């Protein structure tokens, strides 16, 4: 559904990032590898995996398409 989200990096922690795009702040769960890749940046482009479960809707963000693909293989 979503390919990537690009915008200002509003908040960053080792487990998540908040990216503001067009006035909307997106909370994305991230890996430590992605955290290291975007740490110190004021903007970010994160490739997204959108997960819909019975109890939650979650966004996962990745610095590269390869990292996202590996994640998708692990959860399949």
């Amino acid at each position: 559904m979503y390919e990537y989200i690009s915008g200002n990096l509003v908040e960053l922690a080792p487990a998540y990032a908040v990216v503001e795009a067009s006035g909307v702040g997106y909370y994305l769960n991230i890996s430590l590898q992605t955290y290291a890749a975007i740490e110190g940046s004021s903007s970010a482009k994160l490739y997204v995996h959108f997960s819909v479960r019975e109890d939650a809707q979650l966004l996962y963000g990745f610095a590269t398409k390869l990292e996202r693909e590996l994640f998708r293989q692990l959860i399949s």
Side-chain angles (χ1 to χ4, degrees):
M1 179 174 193
Y2 300 106
E3 180 63 19
Y4 64 86
I5 295 176
S6 180
N8 294 327
L9 193 55
V10 176
E11 190 175 343
L12 182 64
Y16 71 91
V18 177
V19 177
E20 182 180 343
S22 299
V24 178
Y26 295 93
Y27 181 101
L28 299 113
N29 296 290
I30 61 171
S31 67
L32 289 175
Q33 184 172 347
T34 294
Y35 174 77
I38 63 175
E39 186 178 25
S41 300
S42 61
S43 63
K45 178 180 180 179
L46 296 177
Y47 295 94
V48 175
H49 176 81
F50 182 51
S51 173
V52 178
R53 300 187 324 220
E54 186 175 305
D55 61 339
Q57 295 182 22
L58 304 168
L59 286 172
Y60 296 91
F62 305 94
T64 65
K65 286 184 177 183
L66 177 60
E67 186 182 6
R68 180 181 64 182
E69 184 58 35
L70 290 172
F71 174 79
R72 287 177 173 171
Q73 288 178 6
L74 285 171
I75 63 170
S76 66

